[in-house]
Amino acid sequence: MKKVVIVGAGPAGMMAAIAAADKYKVVLIDRNEKVGKKLYITGKGRCNLTNSKDISEFFDYIPGNAHFLYSSLYTFTNTNTMDFFEGLGVSLKVERGDRVFPVSNKSSDIINALRRELENKNVTILLNTRVTKVNIEDGIALSVTTEKGHVITGDHFIVCTGGLSYPQTGSTGDGYEFAREAGHTIIKTKPSLVPIEIKEEWIKELQGLSLKNIELTLFQDNKIIYSEFGEMIFTHYGISGPIVLSASRFVKENKNISIKASINLKPALSAEELDKRIQRDFLKFNNKDFKNALNELLPQKLIETIIKLSNIDEEKKVNSITKEERKELVNLMQHLDMSVKGLRPIAEAIVTSGGVDVKKIDPSTLKSKLVNNLSFAGEVIDVDAFTGGFNMQIALSTGHIAGKNIDDES
Ligand SMILES: Cc1cc2nc3c(=O)[nH]c(=O)nc-3n(C[C@H](O)[C@H](O)[C@H](O)COP(=O)(O)OP(=O)(O)OC[C@H]3O[C@@H](n4cnc5c(N)ncnc54)[C@H](O)[C@@H]3O)c2cc1C
């Protein structure tokens, strides 16, 4: 019986092992003391496993090489994922944005289900074992060498070592080196789905404030490059939260490019409607100071900053605020502009964009086009998606396809 050696026991590696174990003897290797260490922290410990949108819509949420993933995602779809986990006894639920989670809200249920299935299929799991090299001779992968110097031979090898984000979970980019040594090109890695740093000092005063139902727009040299409604949070260095993470995918870190982030605090209202709303509030608080007239319009934490940025004296009586000043206030609330300083480091990113170039990987089998008995799956490949369960689905689909397509090689 042929032996398949899989490096990395994240979602991609575990899925590849389960798929391959139907036909082959499988050895799954991970450097950590347990499988699925990153999976454990996904979705804030709840694991946003996949998304229930029609699979044809997934590609709109994959800015990184969506076309390469057609075959994987259509062969092992989100429905397959949900059936697979329900079949393993994990009940699932769908939340806002069609995000799929375990009913228990515990990512550990997903990991335990995978681990049990690996055991059922007699997969040998080697933990605390870091692979340092994939040994290739004359275009054929022969074995892997571990940090402790052990050599593990096999007939087929699948690299599922993940990207570079959250390195404490074991993903430190080792797979890029294995791929490079096999002759593959590595597309420059950069953080994706990562908080954004802001230059303005006033941002620090807002640390911890989270905003719902706002619109975030990114401008690069005055052209809109991203715009989305949703939630965000201010941090000590800038902004984070779902729509900020997605926006980060479009931020180019280049000193010659200037990027502006603009928040519309009241996107449901036109400027005229907001002005009328402010007038109503001002009428209500007619004799009060400006600083005491915004309580019904803005979260408490934001009022001081808005007042400061508005250049209206905080002690000015509301009834003496001019039409022009009110217009400025409306403009500020709908265009709270910030200058983007850059992205947080890749270690803080949800995913890595870049990785093993898809050009030299067969999309329907995930085999290397350079080394026939070597495959890649998951985040190690140059693919990445937005939040919403799409990255997990990519890892699971590519893992499954890699594990199922290892037979007819030399
Ligand atoms: C905080 C956070 C939250 C996230 N939440 C979600 C979410 O809710 N939904 C979603 O879709 N995506 C989420 N993601 C993204 C998702 O976790 C990844 O895209 C996914 O885990 C990638 O799977 P993978 O198997 O390719 O790689 P990984 O999960 O990174 O697994 C790689 C494995 O390889 C092992 N390894 C690496 N090098 C070696 C080596 N040399 N030898 C042996 N073993 C090695 C590592 O220890 C690791 O276990 C989140 C990511 C983060 C960081």
Side-chain angles (χ1 to χ4, degrees):
M1 195 190 235
K2 277 186 175 170
K3 180 175 162 194
V4 180
V5 175
I6 299 171
V7 187
M14 287 192 272
M15 213 57 193
I18 289 166
D22 286 335
K23 280 169 95 174
Y24 309 107
K25 180 174 159 40
V26 178
V27 179
L28 176 63
I29 307 173
D30 202 286
R31 59 190 289 187
N32 291 326
E33 69 292 354
K34 56 185 178 191
V35 298
K37 205 164 176 180
K38 181 174 281 176
L39 209 166
Y40 188 71
I41 58 166
T42 54
K44 299 203 169 90
R46 301 199 303 131
C47 185
N48 179 192
L49 180 67
T50 184
N51 196 287
S52 67
K53 288 186 205 312
D54 191 87
I55 196 73
S56 62
E57 291 178 47
F58 269 50
F59 305 96
D60 297 339
Y61 296 86
I62 304 175
N65 283 319
H67 58 281
F68 173 81
L69 292 166
Y70 269 63
S71 187
S72 294
L73 289 175
Y74 272 111
T75 309
F76 192 82
T77 65
N78 50 347
T79 309
N80 294 134
T81 294
M82 291 186 268
D83 290 347
F84 174 77
F85 282 98
E86 299 259 15
L88 296 181
V90 184
S91 302
L92 300 172
K93 60 175 172 176
V94 180
E95 293 192 1
R96 194 169 39 85
D98 305 316
R99 291 161 195 246
V100 177
F101 291 88
V103 169
S104 65
N105 287 324
K106 285 187 189 151
S107 57
S108 53
D109 283 0
I110 299 290
I111 300 172
N112 288 336
L114 287 166
R115 205 182 38 220
R116 277 196 306 271
E117 190 62 359
L118 291 166
E119 282 162 13
N120 285 343
K121 294 205 167 177
N122 295 317
V123 170
T124 304
I125 304 174
L126 300 180
L127 297 173
N128 298 306
T129 306
R130 184 176 188 177
V131 169
T132 51
K133 197 168 181 347
V134 177
N135 302 301
I136 297 167
E137 265 175 42
D138 300 328
I140 298 171
L142 300 173
S143 59
V144 295
T145 303
T146 73
E147 203 168 33
K148 292 192 178 130
H150 298 131
V151 174
I152 300 164
T153 57
D155 300 295
H156 193 105
F157 297 82
I158 309 179
V159 175
C160 306
T161 46
L164 281 168
S165 71
Y166 282 65
Q168 64 276 26
T169 62
S171 325
T172 52
D174 291 3
Y176 303 142
E177 206 39 54
F178 306 153
R180 211 176 268 121
E181 283 176 10
H184 285 265
T185 303
I186 307 302
I187 302 299
K188 193 175 181 302
T189 54
K190 78 177 208 85
S192 183
L193 307 185
V194 71
I196 294 178
E197 294 189 10
I198 295 294
K199 285 185 189 156
E200 281 77 6
E201 279 294 308
W202 52 260
I203 214 86
K204 295 194 173 79
E205 298 157 13
L206 300 177
Q207 181 177 349
L209 172 67
S210 89
L211 298 175
K212 285 195 176 131
N213 303 321
I214 55 104
E215 183 183 19
L216 175 73
T217 305
L218 287 192
F219 295 87
Q220 180 179 314
D221 299 328
N222 294 323
K223 271 200 214 101
I224 294 179
I225 53 168
Y226 174 86
S227 193
E228 191 58 75
F229 297 90
E231 289 178 35
M232 58 158 287
I233 185 166
F234 290 96
T235 66
H236 64 284
Y237 52 76
I239 50 177
S240 187
I243 54 172
V244 173
L245 296 181
S246 294
S248 71
R249 183 65 174 69
F250 301 92
V251 172
K252 289 197 185 76
E253 292 200 281
N254 178 336
K255 284 196 184 72
N256 301 320
I257 295 176
S258 90
I259 297 180
K260 187 175 82 181
S262 183
I263 299 171
N264 183 347
L265 295 164
K266 301 285 171 194
L269 302 179
S270 67
E272 293 74 36
E273 286 166 338
L274 180 56
D275 188 34
K276 284 207 178 99
R277 168 71 209 275
I278 293 175
Q279 285 184 56
R280 277 204 303 276
D281 279 23
F282 280 8
L283 209 58
K284 202 160 155 191
F285 303 115
N286 203 12
N287 290 318
K288 292 208 169 170
D289 292 347
F290 178 43
K291 66 179 176 195
N292 296 322
L294 297 174
N295 294 349
E296 292 184 7
L297 206 56
L298 295 172
Q300 200 56 42
K301 202 162 184 169
L302 195 55
I303 293 176
E304 209 178 305
T305 308
I306 290 290
I307 287 181
K308 219 185 287 173
L309 296 173
S310 75
N311 291 323
I312 304 172
D313 180 357
E314 60 171 14
E315 299 201 334
K316 190 165 185 173
K317 291 287 175 232
V318 164
N319 54 22
S320 58
I321 291 178
T322 65
K323 192 175 166 190
E324 280 64 41
E325 285 174 324
R326 221 179 49 230
K327 280 238 157 73
E328 271 306 303
L329 183 63
V330 167
N331 189 47
L332 181 63
M333 283 189 197
Q334 297 202 306
H335 304 94
L336 185 57
D337 292 348
M338 299 161 290
S339 327
V340 171
K341 189 165 150 195
L343 300 174
R344 293 296 283 173
I346 201 160
E348 293 177 32
I350 300 291
V351 280
T352 304
S353 129
V356 183
D357 190 356
V358 297
K359 284 198 203 84
K360 293 286 185 239
I361 301 175
D362 180 341
S364 56
T365 62
L366 297 175
K367 280 189 201 172
S368 160
K369 290 180 184 172
L370 306 174
V371 178
N372 195 35
N373 64 337
L374 179 70
S375 308
F376 297 93
E379 205 180 311
V380 70
I381 304 173
D382 176 22
V383 288
D384 64 281
F386 292 133
T387 58
F390 306 106
N391 286 298
M392 278 291 297
Q393 183 63 50
I394 291 172
L396 296 167
S397 293
T398 54
H400 177 85
I401 302 306
K404 280 284 173 217
N405 288 280
I406 38 187
D407 17 13
D408 37 35
E409 76 237 6
S410 55

PDB file of all heavy atoms in Angstrom, residues 13 29 42 51 67 74 103-104 154 161 189 245 256 286 296 302 307-308 310 322 390 402-403 407:
ATOM      1  N   GLY A  13      -4.454  20.083   6.108  1.00  0.00           N
ATOM      2  CA  GLY A  13      -3.725  18.819   6.290  1.00  0.00           C
ATOM      3  C   GLY A  13      -4.622  17.708   6.839  1.00  0.00           C
ATOM      4  O   GLY A  13      -4.554  16.561   6.379  1.00  0.00           O
ATOM      5  N   ILE A  29       1.936  14.896   9.927  1.00  0.00           N
ATOM      6  CA  ILE A  29       2.981  15.418  10.829  1.00  0.00           C
ATOM      7  C   ILE A  29       2.675  16.867  11.215  1.00  0.00           C
ATOM      8  O   ILE A  29       2.338  17.690  10.351  1.00  0.00           O
ATOM      9  CB  ILE A  29       4.360  15.401  10.116  1.00  0.00           C
ATOM     10  CG1 ILE A  29       4.651  14.004   9.563  1.00  0.00           C
ATOM     11  CG2 ILE A  29       5.472  15.864  11.048  1.00  0.00           C
ATOM     12  CD1 ILE A  29       5.909  13.926   8.701  1.00  0.00           C
ATOM     13  N   THR A  42      -9.937  30.215  15.588  1.00  0.00           N
ATOM     14  CA  THR A  42     -10.727  30.819  14.498  1.00  0.00           C
ATOM     15  C   THR A  42     -12.081  31.306  15.026  1.00  0.00           C
ATOM     16  O   THR A  42     -12.630  30.728  15.975  1.00  0.00           O
ATOM     17  CB  THR A  42     -10.977  29.828  13.336  1.00  0.00           C
ATOM     18  OG1 THR A  42     -11.571  28.650  13.855  1.00  0.00           O
ATOM     19  CG2 THR A  42      -9.699  29.497  12.598  1.00  0.00           C
ATOM     20  N   ASN A  51     -19.397  29.215   4.711  1.00  0.00           N
ATOM     21  CA  ASN A  51     -20.463  30.172   4.468  1.00  0.00           C
ATOM     22  C   ASN A  51     -21.561  29.453   3.690  1.00  0.00           C
ATOM     23  O   ASN A  51     -21.257  28.596   2.860  1.00  0.00           O
ATOM     24  CB  ASN A  51     -19.903  31.354   3.666  1.00  0.00           C
ATOM     25  CG  ASN A  51     -20.823  32.539   3.697  1.00  0.00           C
ATOM     26  OD1 ASN A  51     -21.865  32.540   3.059  1.00  0.00           O
ATOM     27  ND2 ASN A  51     -20.459  33.549   4.468  1.00  0.00           N
ATOM     28  N   HIS A  67      -9.915  32.161  -9.504  1.00  0.00           N
ATOM     29  CA  HIS A  67     -10.052  31.249 -10.655  1.00  0.00           C
ATOM     30  C   HIS A  67      -9.362  29.907 -10.405  1.00  0.00           C
ATOM     31  O   HIS A  67      -9.829  28.860 -10.821  1.00  0.00           O
ATOM     32  CB  HIS A  67      -9.502  31.914 -11.923  1.00  0.00           C
ATOM     33  CG  HIS A  67      -8.070  32.316 -11.785  1.00  0.00           C
ATOM     34  ND1 HIS A  67      -7.678  33.455 -11.103  1.00  0.00           N
ATOM     35  CD2 HIS A  67      -6.926  31.708 -12.188  1.00  0.00           C
ATOM     36  CE1 HIS A  67      -6.359  33.542 -11.113  1.00  0.00           C
ATOM     37  NE2 HIS A  67      -5.887  32.490 -11.764  1.00  0.00           N
ATOM     38  N   TYR A  74     -15.800  23.710  -6.377  1.00  0.00           N
ATOM     39  CA  TYR A  74     -16.964  23.043  -6.968  1.00  0.00           C
ATOM     40  C   TYR A  74     -16.940  21.536  -6.718  1.00  0.00           C
ATOM     41  O   TYR A  74     -17.976  20.889  -6.728  1.00  0.00           O
ATOM     42  CB  TYR A  74     -17.066  23.339  -8.472  1.00  0.00           C
ATOM     43  CG  TYR A  74     -17.836  24.604  -8.766  1.00  0.00           C
ATOM     44  CD1 TYR A  74     -17.214  25.734  -9.269  1.00  0.00           C
ATOM     45  CD2 TYR A  74     -19.212  24.677  -8.510  1.00  0.00           C
ATOM     46  CE1 TYR A  74     -17.920  26.910  -9.519  1.00  0.00           C
ATOM     47  CE2 TYR A  74     -19.932  25.840  -8.755  1.00  0.00           C
ATOM     48  CZ  TYR A  74     -19.286  26.947  -9.254  1.00  0.00           C
ATOM     49  OH  TYR A  74     -19.991  28.104  -9.492  1.00  0.00           O
ATOM     50  N   VAL A 103     -23.136  24.758  16.419  1.00  0.00           N
ATOM     51  CA  VAL A 103     -24.196  25.198  17.349  1.00  0.00           C
ATOM     52  C   VAL A 103     -23.615  25.429  18.739  1.00  0.00           C
ATOM     53  O   VAL A 103     -24.005  26.344  19.461  1.00  0.00           O
ATOM     54  CB  VAL A 103     -25.328  24.130  17.396  1.00  0.00           C
ATOM     55  CG1 VAL A 103     -26.299  24.415  18.544  1.00  0.00           C
ATOM     56  CG2 VAL A 103     -26.077  24.097  16.073  1.00  0.00           C
ATOM     57  N   SER A 104     -22.636  24.628  19.104  1.00  0.00           N
ATOM     58  CA  SER A 104     -22.020  24.726  20.434  1.00  0.00           C
ATOM     59  C   SER A 104     -21.186  25.993  20.608  1.00  0.00           C
ATOM     60  O   SER A 104     -20.780  26.318  21.713  1.00  0.00           O
ATOM     61  CB  SER A 104     -21.099  23.525  20.645  1.00  0.00           C
ATOM     62  OG  SER A 104     -20.027  23.598  19.714  1.00  0.00           O
ATOM     63  N   GLY A 154       8.166   8.226   1.909  1.00  0.00           N
ATOM     64  CA  GLY A 154       6.784   8.109   1.450  1.00  0.00           C
ATOM     65  C   GLY A 154       6.727   8.040  -0.054  1.00  0.00           C
ATOM     66  O   GLY A 154       7.742   8.213  -0.740  1.00  0.00           O
ATOM     67  N   THR A 161       1.366  23.563   5.269  1.00  0.00           N
ATOM     68  CA  THR A 161       1.996  24.231   6.415  1.00  0.00           C
ATOM     69  C   THR A 161       1.446  25.626   6.702  1.00  0.00           C
ATOM     70  O   THR A 161       1.953  26.322   7.578  1.00  0.00           O
ATOM     71  CB  THR A 161       3.516  24.322   6.175  1.00  0.00           C
ATOM     72  OG1 THR A 161       3.701  24.781   4.828  1.00  0.00           O
ATOM     73  CG2 THR A 161       4.193  22.999   6.362  1.00  0.00           C
ATOM     74  N   THR A 189       4.829  37.522   0.056  1.00  0.00           N
ATOM     75  CA  THR A 189       3.763  37.430   1.059  1.00  0.00           C
ATOM     76  C   THR A 189       3.496  38.802   1.672  1.00  0.00           C
ATOM     77  O   THR A 189       4.401  39.621   1.813  1.00  0.00           O
ATOM     78  CB  THR A 189       4.162  36.453   2.178  1.00  0.00           C
ATOM     79  OG1 THR A 189       5.424  36.855   2.691  1.00  0.00           O
ATOM     80  CG2 THR A 189       4.236  35.037   1.682  1.00  0.00           C
ATOM     81  N   LEU A 245     -10.781  44.801   8.374  1.00  0.00           N
ATOM     82  CA  LEU A 245      -9.947  43.662   7.958  1.00  0.00           C
ATOM     83  C   LEU A 245     -10.090  43.437   6.451  1.00  0.00           C
ATOM     84  O   LEU A 245      -9.097  43.266   5.737  1.00  0.00           O
ATOM     85  CB  LEU A 245     -10.336  42.404   8.732  1.00  0.00           C
ATOM     86  CG  LEU A 245     -10.102  42.443  10.249  1.00  0.00           C
ATOM     87  CD1 LEU A 245     -10.498  41.127  10.896  1.00  0.00           C
ATOM     88  CD2 LEU A 245      -8.654  42.753  10.593  1.00  0.00           C
ATOM     89  N   ASN A 256       4.929  56.042  -1.700  1.00  0.00           N
ATOM     90  CA  ASN A 256       4.479  57.010  -2.703  1.00  0.00           C
ATOM     91  C   ASN A 256       2.966  57.020  -2.891  1.00  0.00           C
ATOM     92  O   ASN A 256       2.438  57.819  -3.650  1.00  0.00           O
ATOM     93  CB  ASN A 256       5.145  56.699  -4.049  1.00  0.00           C
ATOM     94  CG  ASN A 256       6.646  56.765  -3.907  1.00  0.00           C
ATOM     95  OD1 ASN A 256       7.159  57.640  -3.216  1.00  0.00           O
ATOM     96  ND2 ASN A 256       7.345  55.826  -4.523  1.00  0.00           N
ATOM     97  N   ASN A 286     -31.909  73.501  23.024  1.00  0.00           N
ATOM     98  CA  ASN A 286     -31.743  74.881  22.613  1.00  0.00           C
ATOM     99  C   ASN A 286     -30.792  75.717  23.485  1.00  0.00           C
ATOM    100  O   ASN A 286     -29.919  76.416  22.989  1.00  0.00           O
ATOM    101  CB  ASN A 286     -33.131  75.534  22.577  1.00  0.00           C
ATOM    102  CG  ASN A 286     -33.128  76.729  21.669  1.00  0.00           C
ATOM    103  OD1 ASN A 286     -32.172  76.927  20.914  1.00  0.00           O
ATOM    104  ND2 ASN A 286     -34.176  77.523  21.721  1.00  0.00           N
ATOM    105  N   GLU A 296     -27.729  62.284  21.780  1.00  0.00           N
ATOM    106  CA  GLU A 296     -28.675  61.373  21.125  1.00  0.00           C
ATOM    107  C   GLU A 296     -28.233  61.007  19.711  1.00  0.00           C
ATOM    108  O   GLU A 296     -28.856  60.195  19.042  1.00  0.00           O
ATOM    109  CB  GLU A 296     -30.068  62.012  21.108  1.00  0.00           C
ATOM    110  CG  GLU A 296     -30.624  62.097  22.513  1.00  0.00           C
ATOM    111  CD  GLU A 296     -32.048  62.635  22.567  1.00  0.00           C
ATOM    112  OE1 GLU A 296     -32.677  62.831  21.512  1.00  0.00           O
ATOM    113  OE2 GLU A 296     -32.513  62.873  23.698  1.00  0.00           O
ATOM    114  N   LEU A 302     -17.345  59.247  21.407  1.00  0.00           N
ATOM    115  CA  LEU A 302     -16.982  59.920  20.158  1.00  0.00           C
ATOM    116  C   LEU A 302     -17.224  61.435  20.227  1.00  0.00           C
ATOM    117  O   LEU A 302     -16.608  62.214  19.478  1.00  0.00           O
ATOM    118  CB  LEU A 302     -17.806  59.305  19.021  1.00  0.00           C
ATOM    119  CG  LEU A 302     -17.413  59.559  17.575  1.00  0.00           C
ATOM    120  CD1 LEU A 302     -15.968  59.151  17.333  1.00  0.00           C
ATOM    121  CD2 LEU A 302     -18.324  58.773  16.641  1.00  0.00           C
ATOM    122  N   ILE A 307     -16.319  67.026  18.571  1.00  0.00           N
ATOM    123  CA  ILE A 307     -16.360  68.458  18.939  1.00  0.00           C
ATOM    124  C   ILE A 307     -15.013  69.111  18.620  1.00  0.00           C
ATOM    125  O   ILE A 307     -14.935  70.170  18.000  1.00  0.00           O
ATOM    126  CB  ILE A 307     -16.739  68.629  20.425  1.00  0.00           C
ATOM    127  CG1 ILE A 307     -18.228  68.306  20.587  1.00  0.00           C
ATOM    128  CG2 ILE A 307     -16.414  70.039  20.925  1.00  0.00           C
ATOM    129  CD1 ILE A 307     -18.772  68.435  21.974  1.00  0.00           C
ATOM    130  N   LYS A 308     -13.947  68.401  19.014  1.00  0.00           N
ATOM    131  CA  LYS A 308     -12.602  68.943  18.782  1.00  0.00           C
ATOM    132  C   LYS A 308     -12.353  69.148  17.273  1.00  0.00           C
ATOM    133  O   LYS A 308     -11.871  70.184  16.834  1.00  0.00           O
ATOM    134  CB  LYS A 308     -11.566  67.965  19.354  1.00  0.00           C
ATOM    135  CG  LYS A 308     -10.410  68.676  20.032  1.00  0.00           C
ATOM    136  CD  LYS A 308      -9.343  67.710  20.479  1.00  0.00           C
ATOM    137  CE  LYS A 308      -9.742  66.883  21.687  1.00  0.00           C
ATOM    138  NZ  LYS A 308      -8.760  65.838  22.004  1.00  0.00           N
ATOM    139  N   SER A 310     -14.527  69.527  14.963  1.00  0.00           N
ATOM    140  CA  SER A 310     -15.495  70.429  14.313  1.00  0.00           C
ATOM    141  C   SER A 310     -15.063  71.897  14.396  1.00  0.00           C
ATOM    142  O   SER A 310     -15.600  72.742  13.676  1.00  0.00           O
ATOM    143  CB  SER A 310     -16.870  70.291  14.971  1.00  0.00           C
ATOM    144  OG  SER A 310     -16.875  70.940  16.229  1.00  0.00           O
ATOM    145  N   THR A 322     -23.999  78.519  13.879  1.00  0.00           N
ATOM    146  CA  THR A 322     -24.439  79.019  12.570  1.00  0.00           C
ATOM    147  C   THR A 322     -24.758  77.863  11.617  1.00  0.00           C
ATOM    148  O   THR A 322     -24.357  76.720  11.842  1.00  0.00           O
ATOM    149  CB  THR A 322     -23.340  79.877  11.905  1.00  0.00           C
ATOM    150  OG1 THR A 322     -22.235  78.998  11.632  1.00  0.00           O
ATOM    151  CG2 THR A 322     -22.882  81.018  12.797  1.00  0.00           C
ATOM    152  N   PHE A 390     -14.779  31.798   4.361  1.00  0.00           N
ATOM    153  CA  PHE A 390     -14.249  31.430   3.042  1.00  0.00           C
ATOM    154  C   PHE A 390     -12.840  30.847   3.119  1.00  0.00           C
ATOM    155  O   PHE A 390     -12.475  29.961   2.356  1.00  0.00           O
ATOM    156  CB  PHE A 390     -14.276  32.656   2.115  1.00  0.00           C
ATOM    157  CG  PHE A 390     -15.635  33.280   2.025  1.00  0.00           C
ATOM    158  CD1 PHE A 390     -15.916  34.481   2.665  1.00  0.00           C
ATOM    159  CD2 PHE A 390     -16.660  32.636   1.346  1.00  0.00           C
ATOM    160  CE1 PHE A 390     -17.189  35.045   2.617  1.00  0.00           C
ATOM    161  CE2 PHE A 390     -17.940  33.190   1.292  1.00  0.00           C
ATOM    162  CZ  PHE A 390     -18.203  34.396   1.930  1.00  0.00           C
ATOM    163  N   ALA A 402      -6.504  17.531  -2.671  1.00  0.00           N
ATOM    164  CA  ALA A 402      -5.116  17.031  -2.664  1.00  0.00           C
ATOM    165  C   ALA A 402      -5.077  15.589  -2.175  1.00  0.00           C
ATOM    166  O   ALA A 402      -4.369  14.742  -2.741  1.00  0.00           O
ATOM    167  CB  ALA A 402      -4.246  17.927  -1.777  1.00  0.00           C
ATOM    168  N   GLY A 403      -5.862  15.294  -1.152  1.00  0.00           N
ATOM    169  CA  GLY A 403      -5.871  13.929  -0.597  1.00  0.00           C
ATOM    170  C   GLY A 403      -6.499  12.907  -1.517  1.00  0.00           C
ATOM    171  O   GLY A 403      -6.180  11.716  -1.453  1.00  0.00           O
ATOM    172  N   ASP A 407      -3.213   9.152  -6.915  1.00  0.00           N
ATOM    173  CA  ASP A 407      -2.957   7.805  -7.410  1.00  0.00           C
ATOM    174  C   ASP A 407      -2.014   7.697  -8.597  1.00  0.00           C
ATOM    175  O   ASP A 407      -0.951   7.107  -8.472  1.00  0.00           O
ATOM    176  CB  ASP A 407      -4.247   7.043  -7.711  1.00  0.00           C
ATOM    177  CG  ASP A 407      -5.476   7.897  -7.847  1.00  0.00           C
ATOM    178  OD1 ASP A 407      -5.333   9.128  -7.964  1.00  0.00           O
ATOM    179  OD2 ASP A 407      -6.567   7.353  -7.846  1.00  0.00           O
TER     180      ASP A 407
END
